[in-house]
Amino acid sequence: MIEIAGLSKTFGSGASAFTALKDINVTIQENEFFTLLGPSGCGKTTLLRSIAGFVDPSTGTLTINGEDILSKPPFARPVNTVFQNYALFPHMTVAENIGFGLEMQDRPKAEIKSVVGDMLELVQMTQMADRMTSQISGGQQQRVALARALAPKPEVLLLDEPLSALDFKLRKEMQIELKRLQAETGITFVFVTHDQEEALTMSDRIAVMNAGRILQIGGPKDIYDHPAERFVADFIGDTNFVDGEVKKVAGETAQVQLQSGKVIKARNVAGGATSGPVTVAVRPEHADLSAPGGLIDGTLKNIIYFGTDTHYHVQTDDGSTFVIRRQNQPDAVEAHEVGEKVGVTFNAGVAQILRD
Amino acid sequence: MSNETQSAKTRWLLLSPALFILSIAAAGPLLIVLVYSFLTAGDYGGVVWDFSTDAWFNVFAEKDFFDDTIGFSDAHLSIFWRSVKLSLMTTIVALLVGFPTAYFIATRPESQRNAWMLLIMVPFWTNLLIRTFAVMEIIRNEGVINSVLIKIGLISEPIQMLYTEFAVTLGMFYVFLPLMVLPVYASMERMDFSLVEAAYDLYASRWRVLKRVIFPLVKPGVVAGSILVFIPSLGAYVTPRVLGGGKQLMLGNLIELQYGQGRNWPLGAALSITLLAIVMVALIFYVRAAGDEETSHG
């Protein structure tokens, strides 16, 4: 279990000071696939490097299984890292790379040999054991980097955007592979990515970060269905933002009056607005088209066919754009046409009030 | 005319200036030196065109002045030995100092590196003789070190540093240090420092990171730097002359002596060829040893 409390990091000092991490508080459970998700420069890599020991936090505490690790150098921490560029040793073979960590721990030769064998098998690289790392493909280098970091059986595996250099198909394969490895080894994975889809498909829990802060922590479904802040709703998936006014709050739900005058039932978050103007988020696939007289009315501006689904862009009467996504059925005939007056509807509870 | 012969012609045309310079400035003089080593010495310097192997005989052996018995030339051998020993020492010290220096510079922010390199290069652009006399000024009996030590009462008599092997080694180290720092720095700058992080992450202590990751990766620079320091040290002339006085002769001084006061050009030529041979043999052994270690990894 990793417990991080009040962690901050400021680079430089005075006028040029840059705060990369602001008051990070998070507990990562044993055996969890935990993802740090955010745009570049949001601090996710700095947080990962703080756990690895390459960044010295300015304030805060960081413990692994109750043991303070901030005072320890990287080589004394029970964590291993898969680097973004893999950082494989170019002067060693695949097998020597994988065995390096064990060798540095002064494990017996026989044990190193058997663990390296197991690892090669785990990442399906047994045939390549004696190749130099420059003689294997990017995807294979990725596997070697994983095996090298897993071989010493760390308590925590840190992965710094490990899939970003791979092409689309290989990335999909490695996503599944990573999930399998995590399940097989039972090691806690802390995974850094800017790819929201990668985060949603692989993680047990996701921490969405921006500008050095963690904005929201939750399961993929929780984060996607119930984003707490505008940034989270915008960064993950596509979202329609609709302005309204809170009329009444009852526990987790609230009555929100839209500008069309219609009142909807929306989900509220802890610390959300209890009165006054708010923004609610509605996912495109949670809304549908209707005849005029829906919750919001407007004109159909665009119909875009995407294969698996079709996107309808509605210019609402108050001037904003609302996107609706409908899954396609085989041989269905398009029932709508551009320029048509339409309404937008969605079910009670799919709208989410955002914290500002 | 076909394109191929045309391009072959162009190639030779482009190469010809370099070939011309090399043939009159390198191959030609070497050939002359080789020929001279098999001729007879003239009475007032120069050579007489009579074939003789005396010069080669005199490189390693000498006739006894009184009874014509033949023995090893102890004087020459000790100078050979001193040259190799001091050059090796110089190379080792330059590596011990140059390697951390290069590492320090390579790990500075990119904007500062050129300034640090400049500090290394400035002495290199200064006249050799001036730099050598500067070292002399520091270590001579009335020099900076001795007068400070005497003033603070640590010693009563000056320590004799000038005109010793120490002085020659120190001087050569100072003069040739940039030749070590430059290639080592160049290969360190190319090194991916995330490899160092990866090694730290995989439980390697600082010393083991140095030994297992950094050193193997910058070895080409270390090999180049060692060669660049060792070879000119072996033939050094000014530094042993000034800092060694007449006492600590090295090969360069011995050769100069034969062409000058000794009036024995053939012997000077033979000694020059011998120096060249030592350098070649040392190079072959060194490069092969460095290469072998490389392949044993793979």
Side-chain angles (χ1 to χ4, degrees), chain A residues 35-85:
Chain A
T35 298
L36 301 171
L37 173 67
S40 59
C42 73
K44 57 191 191 299
T45 297
T46 306
L47 181 53
L48 194 83
R49 289 171 63 80
S50 302
I51 302 173
F54 300 125
V55 167
D56 196 15
S58 310
T59 60
T61 60
L62 206 169
T63 64
I64 293 180
N65 295 337
E67 194 185 353
D68 169 48
I69 59 159
L70 279 185
S71 54
K72 293 184 175 179
F75 55 83
R77 298 189 184 197
V79 301
N80 288 138
T81 308
V82 178
F83 292 85
Q84 188 169 6
N85 63 353

Side-chain angles (χ1 to χ4, degrees), chain A residues 106-126:
Chain A
D106 296 315
R107 305 271 188 90
K109 278 230 161 65
E111 186 194 336
I112 295 177
K113 207 173 164 214
S114 91
V115 173
V116 168
D118 292 348
M119 283 297 143
L120 284 166
E121 210 166 299
L122 187 71
V123 295
Q124 295 151 24
M125 288 287 291
T126 310

Side-chain angles (χ1 to χ4, degrees), chain A residues 33-324:
Chain A
F33 198 120
F34 192 88
T35 298
L36 301 171
L37 173 67
S40 59
C42 73
K44 57 191 191 299
T45 297
T46 306
L47 181 53
L48 194 83
R49 289 171 63 80
S50 302
I51 302 173
F54 300 125
V55 167
D56 196 15
S58 310
T59 60
T61 60
L62 206 169
T63 64
I64 293 180
N65 295 337
E67 194 185 353
D68 169 48
I69 59 159
L70 279 185
S71 54
K72 293 184 175 179
F75 55 83
R77 298 189 184 197
V79 301
N80 288 138
T81 308
V82 178
F83 292 85
Q84 188 169 6
N85 63 353
Y86 314 143
L88 297 178
F89 303 122
H91 56 299
M92 299 180 197
T93 64
V94 165
E96 284 168 339
N97 263 280
I98 296 175
F100 187 83
L102 299 161
E103 200 189 319
M104 292 301 111
Q105 289 180 320
D106 296 315
R107 305 271 188 90
K109 278 230 161 65
E111 186 194 336
I112 295 177
K113 207 173 164 214
S114 91
V115 173
V116 168
D118 292 348
M119 283 297 143
L120 284 166
E121 210 166 299
L122 187 71
V123 295
Q124 295 151 24
M125 288 287 291
T126 310
Q127 305 296 320
M128 307 281 177
D130 294 324
R131 295 269 190 100
M132 298 304 282
T133 55
S134 54
Q135 297 169 319
I136 58 177
S137 71
Q140 291 168 335
Q141 290 181 6
Q142 167 70 77
R143 288 163 190 273
V144 175
L146 263 171
R148 184 181 69 175
L150 283 170
K153 302 225 162 37
E155 313 249 2
V156 180
L157 187 73
L158 307 172
L159 303 105
D160 186 6
E161 308 218 16
L163 307 181
S164 59
L166 303 179
D167 62 50
F168 181 76
K169 246 188 125 158
L170 205 51
R171 196 156 69 224
K172 293 277 159 212
E173 271 175 47
M174 284 307 294
Q175 287 177 7
I176 297 164
E177 184 87 3
L178 272 178
K179 269 308 263 189
R180 174 181 74 87
L181 284 174
Q182 200 251 339
E184 270 179 42
T185 55
I187 292 172
T188 306
F189 278 32
V190 180
F191 185 86
V192 159
T193 184
H194 64 268
D195 183 334
Q196 42 121 349
E197 194 189 309
E198 209 166 88
L200 291 174
T201 53
M202 299 168 75
S203 319
D204 293 323
R205 280 195 306 155
I206 299 169
V208 184
M209 293 184 69
N210 189 37
R213 291 178 196 281
I214 292 182
L215 302 179
Q216 189 173 0
I217 300 175
K221 195 165 163 48
D222 196 30
I223 297 260
Y224 185 82
D225 286 349
H226 306 300
E229 297 196 20
R230 193 183 179 107
F231 179 86
V232 179
D234 204 20
F235 190 73
I236 296 172
D238 299 317
T239 305
N240 296 296
F241 296 106
V242 182
D243 292 330
E245 199 169 328
V246 177
K247 288 294 170 194
K248 208 174 97 190
V249 177
E252 286 223 317
T253 58
Q255 308 265 337
V256 176
Q257 184 170 34
L258 303 180
Q259 281 176 335
S260 61
K262 298 269 167 62
V263 174
I264 60 163
K265 228 185 192 176
R267 265 182 63 107
N268 201 359
V269 286
T274 52
S275 66
V278 287
T279 304
V280 298
V282 181
R283 296 288 182 191
E285 67 275 20
H286 293 162
D288 204 356
L289 288 174
S290 69
L295 294 172
I296 305 164
D297 283 346
T299 314
L300 197 52
K301 292 289 283 184
N302 256 321
I303 300 174
I304 304 165
Y305 180 74
F306 269 90
T308 54
D309 45 24
T310 301
H311 295 191
Y312 300 90
H313 291 214
V314 177
Q315 174 103 53
T316 61
D317 290 344
D318 58 32
S320 57
T321 301
F322 196 105
V323 180
I324 289 164

Side-chain angles (χ1 to χ4, degrees), chain B residues 180-251:
Chain B
M180 179 65 83
V181 175
L182 270 174
V184 174
Y185 167 73
S187 54
M188 260 181 200
E189 206 196 16
R190 272 202 306 273
M191 191 180 76
D192 177 4
F193 270 86
S194 70
L195 296 175
V196 175
E197 282 192 350
Y200 273 136
D201 189 64
L202 290 162
Y203 314 107
S205 60
R206 278 166 229 286
W207 168 244
R208 283 173 127 181
V209 171
L210 184 69
K211 196 176 122 206
R212 291 297 309 277
V213 177
I214 299 175
F215 197 76
L217 290 175
V218 302
K219 206 166 72 182
V222 171
V223 170
S226 304
I227 290 172
L228 285 179
V229 171
F230 182 75
I231 289 175
S233 297
L234 207 55
Y237 167 67
V238 171
T239 309
R241 178 75 186 262
V242 173
L243 297 175
K247 299 185 204 163
Q248 311 297 340
L249 285 188
M250 283 178 62
L251 262 171

